Amino acid sequence: MLNYKYQAYISYSRQDEKWAKWIQNALERYQIPLPLSKKVGMNHLRPIFSGVNDLTGGALSKQLDEALLESEFLIVICSPYAAHSMFVNAEVEQFQKNGRADHIIPIIVDGIPYSVHECFPPSLRELQNSRDEIIAIDVNTHGKDRALIKVLAIILGESFDALWKKYRQDIYKNPLKNVFEILSSVFRRKDQTIINRYEPKKNKTQIFISYRREDGQGDARSIEQALISKFDRSVVFFDFTSLQDKKFNLQILDSIYSCNDFILILSPKSMKKCVKKGDWVALEIRTALKYKKHIIPVNIDNGFKEWPRRFPKDLAELREEQQLEFQRGSLFYESFEKLVERLESVPSTEPKKKASGLFSTDFENHLSIIVADAVKTAIAAGALGKIVFYKLRVNRECVLFVDDAEKSSIEPNSLTKISLERGQYLISLRSKDLQTNFFEKKLVLDNDVFDDLSI
């Protein structure tokens, strides 16, 4: 461990920068327990290399190559953004070439491996297929604290149970922790009072996705991505991507109040905490029942077995709703079509609502009103002057990426147009399987730009 300049190198897509900052700061602040520190010869895991804080001017690729070579472990922040990032993929490949494939630590922050919501870059998928001992750490399943300790256990070569026990002891011995808990309790009570008195406001939400973050976030995100590929992004509410500021409680209430359809992801643990005071999944369900929303309970891969015995009486009518059995993998899209049918159907208790909302026969008119309102808002805010168009025509089928984010599938010799704010972007064209990079360039957008390419 002492032979390397860096204890670990963090590989991540730019869209996951906050996660890279979190794991770097958490690892560098961690104080190694005394008996273990004598064994490993250090008190702290410093330094950890991350482009977030450690890159300087000059030849960046050279700095990254040197940092990879001088790092003992590679921590890969895995998400759908990382899965499509040529840079993350290249860093994993380079670390393998350096001979330390068994020192790669994948941390899943979003997405599901080997699914339509893939989170592993290609080189990591290949490595996982060939080496059973590489185990990914899922932040959404384990929580941040456990995920951190699991990473530390791998780097320090210590058992998770021993480090976790010491970590929990240190937290409870810390007097500031008790102060924090008291303050948190006060703020929670204050928040609950605000929520109880709040009168929701209408917004553009038509579909609301409710889930238990502990074990349902990956499936909820997969369904969200499928929905926004079929409908307009602005009408689908999924808190992970839809929340805009810290007043998240009130935004959630607004969106449930506004929606037509309330999708409830039934994961194995989704209903177990509903009996607890202040549980947010229970609050979301109560709000949906209060405003008589069309509730669709979605049972993922038969993971939800039965309603818990201790279940709030005011949520009892939820049990009467017909569950939709939803399958992952090869049957995902077949299940998704059934979900769309349920969305487009009308609850039997309200047969006259068919002509209203997102899924009416006047859908185009409804959407045009939404767009018109958005344009008026943008004009009022002076935002339209910041928007320019990148137009592209290519002689072959490919996928357009802007700053490592997938933007559009391109058909041969057809005109593709995307709107972007003025600024500098990295434009790349990749094969449909994302294995081949056909074209890449840095583009400064001050005005509309048109590229006609033969590749």
Side-chain angles (χ1 to χ4, degrees):
M1 192 173 290
L2 295 175
N3 296 329
Y4 294 92
K5 180 177 179 180
Y6 301 105
Q7 306 307 325
Y9 179 111
I10 303 173
S11 178
Y12 65 96
S13 171
R14 192 171 72 174
Q15 288 88 348
D16 296 320
E17 186 174 304
K18 66 175 183 179
W19 289 104
K21 286 181 179 179
W22 163 70
I23 192 64
Q24 181 183 26
N25 293 335
L27 289 174
E28 290 189 334
R29 285 199 304 262
Y30 180 78
Q31 185 169 355
I32 302 173
L34 184 60
L36 183 57
S37 67
K38 293 179 179 179
K39 178 181 174 182
V40 299
M42 62 178 69
N43 296 321
H44 297 88
L45 284 174
R46 299 172 185 162
I48 304 291
F49 184 90
S50 166
V52 174
N53 299 317
D54 299 306
L55 285 176
T56 60
L60 298 186
S61 60
K62 183 179 180 181
Q63 289 184 56
L64 296 175
D65 288 342
E66 290 176 353
L68 276 169
L69 191 61
E70 295 172 338
S71 301
E72 183 172 9
F73 287 88
L74 176 67
I75 296 172
V76 185
I77 304 297
C78 299
S79 73
Y81 297 122
H84 294 126
S85 171
M86 69 179 77
F87 302 109
V88 174
N89 189 61
E91 287 170 347
V92 174
E93 286 182 340
Q94 184 60 46
F95 200 78
Q96 292 181 58
K97 291 177 182 177
N98 293 343
R100 291 193 296 283
D102 56 342
H103 279 204
I104 295 177
I105 307 173
I107 302 179
I108 300 174
V109 299
D110 188 21
I112 305 171
Y114 310 104
S115 74
V116 294
H117 196 37
E118 181 59 73
C119 60
F120 288 160
S123 55
L124 189 56
R125 289 199 297 272
E126 293 174 7
L127 189 61
Q128 289 278 36
N129 290 335
S130 62
R131 302 180 70 93
D132 294 334
E133 59 267 26
I134 296 181
I135 300 174
I137 299 167
D138 193 330
V139 173
N140 300 307
T141 300
H142 301 112
K144 275 188 171 182
D145 287 353
R146 285 182 177 272
L148 170 63
I149 300 303
K150 283 179 177 290
V151 174
L152 286 163
I154 294 172
I155 293 177
L156 296 171
E158 186 71 5
S159 75
F160 167 79
D161 290 339
L163 289 180
W164 179 247
K165 182 178 180 181
K166 182 68 170 63
Y167 180 78
R168 297 297 294 171
Q169 288 173 347
D170 290 345
I171 286 178
Y172 288 119
K173 286 179 182 177
N174 185 352
L176 291 177
K177 173 70 176 178
N178 296 329
V179 175
F180 176 77
E181 289 296 337
I182 293 171
L183 290 174
S184 296
S185 176
V186 171
F187 285 122
R188 281 196 296 271
R189 289 198 297 272
K190 181 180 178 182
D191 283 348
Q192 191 61 50
T193 301
I194 293 172
I195 290 167
N196 292 340
R197 295 177 179 176
Y198 182 67
E199 292 293 331
K201 301 176 181 62
K202 276 284 185 181
N203 61 29
K204 296 177 182 178
T205 302
Q206 297 293 326
I207 306 170
F208 186 97
I209 304 174
S210 176
Y211 65 98
R212 178 73 62 188
R213 184 163 293 190
E214 186 176 356
D215 65 344
Q217 181 167 325
D219 292 312
R221 183 66 191 276
S222 295
I223 290 173
E224 180 234 10
Q225 291 294 300
L227 286 169
I228 64 178
S229 68
K230 187 174 183 65
F231 306 110
D232 186 75
R233 177 184 292 272
S234 66
V235 300
V236 180
F237 185 94
F238 174 66
D239 63 354
F240 192 82
T241 53
S242 301
L243 292 173
Q244 300 300 316
D245 59 35
K246 293 181 180 179
K247 297 178 181 178
F248 66 96
N249 300 351
L250 307 186
Q251 285 190 55
I252 287 175
L253 296 182
D254 286 345
S255 296
I256 298 175
Y257 174 72
S258 304
C259 76
N260 293 331
D261 300 282
F262 181 92
I263 298 175
L264 175 63
I265 304 298
L266 293 177
S267 55
K269 299 179 181 179
S270 58
M271 296 294 106
K272 290 185 177 180
K273 297 180 182 178
C274 282
V275 71
K276 291 187 177 181
K277 186 176 181 180
D279 181 69
W280 261 97
V281 173
L283 177 60
E284 290 174 355
I285 297 169
R286 285 190 183 95
T287 306
L289 290 171
K290 177 180 178 180
Y291 294 112
K292 302 186 185 305
K293 300 303 174 181
H294 180 203
I295 298 177
I296 307 174
V298 176
N299 190 347
I300 306 292
D301 258 352
N302 299 309
F304 182 79
K305 301 303 181 185
E306 59 184 9
W307 301 98
R309 292 181 180 178
R310 294 183 65 215
F311 195 67
K313 292 182 179 179
D314 60 335
L315 304 185
E317 63 181 284
L318 181 64
R319 302 182 185 187
E320 306 304 318
E321 299 287 349
Q322 182 182 357
Q323 293 182 21
L324 174 68
E325 300 298 330
F326 200 102
Q327 303 298 315
R328 302 189 187 105
S330 60
L331 297 176
F332 177 90
Y333 287 108
E334 182 180 330
S335 299
F336 178 68
E337 289 304 317
K338 293 179 181 178
L339 174 60
V340 171
E341 290 176 9
R342 286 279 292 271
L343 289 169
E344 294 177 341
S345 69
V346 181
S348 58
T349 55
E350 299 183 43
K352 295 183 180 181
K353 284 186 67 178
K354 190 168 185 177
S356 65
L358 173 63
F359 304 107
S360 68
T361 55
D362 295 326
F363 172 69
E364 290 82 5
N365 292 336
H366 178 75
L367 187 57
S368 67
I369 292 171
I370 291 176
V371 173
D373 288 343
V375 170
K376 289 178 182 177
T377 302
I379 291 173
L384 287 185
K386 300 178 182 179
I387 302 298
V388 292
F389 289 98
Y390 178 57
K391 305 172 186 178
L392 181 68
R393 183 162 52 223
V394 186
N395 64 336
R396 69 188 302 168
E397 187 179 33
C398 55
V399 181
L400 170 65
F401 280 77
V402 177
D403 284 344
D404 272 344
E406 183 175 338
K407 286 293 183 182
S408 177
S409 294
I410 297 180
E411 298 298 326
N413 301 313
S414 63
L415 182 66
T416 300
K417 182 170 73 171
I418 60 170
S419 60
L420 297 166
E421 289 189 2
R422 297 177 189 274
Q424 183 172 318
Y425 298 92
L426 177 67
I427 304 294
S428 58
L429 298 174
R430 305 178 196 175
S431 58
K432 295 292 285 185
D433 61 6
L434 307 180
Q435 300 298 311
T436 305
N437 194 31
F438 294 136
F439 172 81
E440 179 178 297
K441 78 170 182 179
K442 288 185 178 179
L443 183 68
V444 178
L445 281 177
D446 290 325
N447 299 292
D448 292 357
V449 172
F450 173 65
D451 278 338
D452 195 352
L453 302 173
S454 295
I455 55 177

